[in-house]
Amino acid sequence: MIQTNSHRPDIVLRITAAVFAILGVFLAGGGIWLALLGGSCFYVVCGVVLLATAVLLWRRRREALWLYAVLVAATLVWSVGEAGFDFWALAPRGDVLLPLGLWLVLPFVSSRLLPSSGWNSAPLLAGVVVGAGVYGYALTQDPQDVAGVLPRAGVQASSSPLPGDNTVVPAADWPAYGRTQAGDRYSPLSQITASNVRNLKVAWVFRTHDLKRPDDPGEITDEATPIKVRDTLYLCSPHQILFAVDAATGHERWHFDPKITYNASYQHMTCRGVSYAETPVAEEQAHDVAVADDCAHRIFLPTNDGRLFALNADTGALCRGFGRDGALDLTDGMPMRTPGFYEPTSPPVITSKVAIISGAVTDNYSTHEPSGVTRGYDLYSGKLIWAFDPGNPNPNELPSATHHYVANSPNSWITSAYDARLNQIYIPTGVATPDIWGGHRTPDQERYASGILALDADTGRKVWFYQTVHHDLWDMDVPSQPSLVDIKQADGAVVPALYAPAKTGNIFVLDRRNGHLLVPAPEMPVPQGAAPGDHLSPTQPFSALTFRPKNNLTDADMWGATMFDQLACRIMFKRLRYEGPFTPPSTQGTLVFPGNLGMFEWGGLAVDPVREVAFTNPIAVPFVSRLVPRGPNNPAEPPQNAGPSGGEAGLQPQYGTPFGVDLHPFLSPIGIPCKQPGWGYVAGLDLRTNTVLWKHRNGTTRDSSPVPLAFRVGVPSLGGPIITAGGVAFLTSTLDMYIRAYDVTTGQQLWQDRLPAGGQSTPMTYEENGHQYVLSVDGGHGSFGTKLGDYVVAYALPDAQVKH
């Protein structure tokens, strides 16, 4: 019996030793691989020590505890040296080793080691206690946080009207995608304040019943921002069904289904919004069409199959005098007209004369795709007034019997901004597809790519162009509607500025009269060594106002749930080509950071033009692009009658070029980001000094981890913020399903509420019957991975807290 009992603890020791040996082999082997790639040698040391500890445990030697105590101490020093006191960066470095140390000091393990002594475990216990103290202290710190205060009071407003005739927009309304066509996403309403926002309650919920269909693409998204005119909301759903909803109750008034021509290989199924136009009474007599079809108030609806509808805003009837029975076919004049290749997913710009619309083309599919032409149509008749085709040597040439728009002209897929005083439209442009190899591009295709293009809104003639990326091989187009704001200088002069957030993390600040830089963006050398047949620009512009990383990533920035998948990420990182921003695409595989989603996406900035401050939500998620040479499974030309690729991740064909490309986020073997958090932030900008005054992690792992734990690591967002005169900003777009309110001055989160589905949209706010509402469209995002739905949720303060 005595011998039997004495062997029982040996079983525990032997199992413990076996576990240590297995972990040691993994760390030592992987560590040697990493060291040979030029990475940290610590994993080799750690693996060897674990193997030695395993041997000592097998022999029941107390030296196992002492040796492991040395490893714990060394790990703490190494971890803090690499990651500082950032808890989430420290976590994978110690979340296995420290619990194993605690296991070893438990009496039923440590007491069976020889020679036996009550002091055997003291050094290791001290190391574990110190480690717990280090991690506990790190929980109270956030080296990534920037604390600051934005200016609270606005400067004296200039006597001239704000951009886009903002002063004529009723305070209670939100009549355009960005509330005004200046793209500020600012409301002068102030009923909801930093002191009462915590009392917001759901006022009503509307459901569109437009849900994902079996043959929809993966990227079905509900990215709509509703507009509000008088007492009615107008919004579109993913299949471009247009709804008119009572702004006070959420009850449907009418809806219109365009019954889009369906193609299962659409790359997107998206509608970001609609536009509104109103004919002043004095003008109705001059426009017989407007009077005849009873469309003095009209809504413009773009659809994925390349049409633009005009509808009576009051009844939902088609404006029969517009185009052909109320619709334009935007594939007219295109070099190809296959449904799904040209998708206008964002609402048009509306002036007093024209409706101006651009559209998306299929990313990374082929060198022969529709043109990215921007067109201006008569507001009443739908007649084509002008065109700007960026790939044409004569970009204003109109289509004819002998001329089509140029295939693969750079496109613009997000809403443009409009300055009514200057009568200029500001178009964010992309590149000639495919995005990741550009040896085929002509000088004409490069001329207006990846930048801001200013046109005369009446004629479509170029006023100026500024390029934010030269020979773009990273899909670093300008993804957001620019924000127009008049900035008062110290000498009293008012400068009409344009803020253009780019995927690179740069915010380019330009004089919108002439495109001259207001914030320096010097040309700086970038990595060279293009793929065969391609070339690179030797320099790129780097704005002084930026969220791009200050330093290049290293293997120390890699992350994981444990030390083991962190090691795997470090090995993966060292095997990729990465020399900082603008590292060229390669067959080796290139780490792209900022990634293809960009640090800024289509949500843009929210600007308070009175305080001259901005609120934004940058993200930081690396991607990997790997060029795939042509071969039997990767033909140079599309199969006969092939449709578009139907997605933006995975293997993209890039037909007509020597390479396809495999695109994906940089994830660990267990599917979590390889770059350490944070991955998403909120930030406040002082536009008078063009500086970032505060920045905080935003969002939790509540809906993206295997267990629903809401760790506030800062998660990616896809959508945009709004800002109000009440000093409160709102944002819904994070991976977790929340709407949040923030104090604009400090960035402090003031309130949040759980959403019924993903909120990958930009909210809006309006007033009706004396109540200020905040509205969120919550339908989720297929490729972003959030829960899909069909909800529109309105919040308001309880009646008792509203001052009438």
Side-chain angles (χ1 to χ4, degrees), residues 79 82 112 121 173-174 176 202 209 214 219 221 232 234 236 259 268 373 433 475 590 661 679 741 760 803:
S79 299
E82 276 201 332
R112 294 298 175 176
S121 58
D173 286 357
W174 189 287
V202 174
H209 302 291
E219 188 155 320
T221 70
T232 305
Y234 303 94
C236 55
K259 300 188 186 304
H268 310 270
V373 61
T433 60
D475 193 19
T590 292
V661 63
W679 306 303
Q760 278 61 62
K803 296 180 180 179

Side-chain angles (χ1 to χ4, degrees), residues 410 438 441-449 465 467 471-472 535:
R441 298 178 195 157
T442 67
D444 291 322
Q445 288 175 318
E446 299 272 42
R447 185 175 296 119
Y448 300 115
F465 175 73
Q467 192 163 70
H471 192 60
D472 184 359
H535 62 279

Side-chain angles (χ1 to χ4, degrees), residues 265-288:
S265 59
Y266 278 135
Q267 194 168 77
H268 310 270
M269 193 58 67
T270 300
C271 186
R272 294 190 181 89
V274 297
S275 298
Y276 175 78
E278 182 169 317
T279 308
V281 175
E283 293 185 17
E284 287 190 13
Q285 305 305 319
H287 294 282
D288 294 336

Side-chain angles (χ1 to χ4, degrees), residues 429 445-452 464-472 478 508 510 523 540-541:
T429 67
Q445 288 175 318
E446 299 272 42
R447 185 175 296 119
Y448 300 115
S450 295
I452 298 293
W464 54 261
F465 175 73
Y466 178 82
Q467 192 163 70
T468 60
V469 178
H470 311 315
H471 192 60
D472 184 359
V478 180
F508 293 93
L510 307 167
E523 295 281 336
Q540 297 287 354

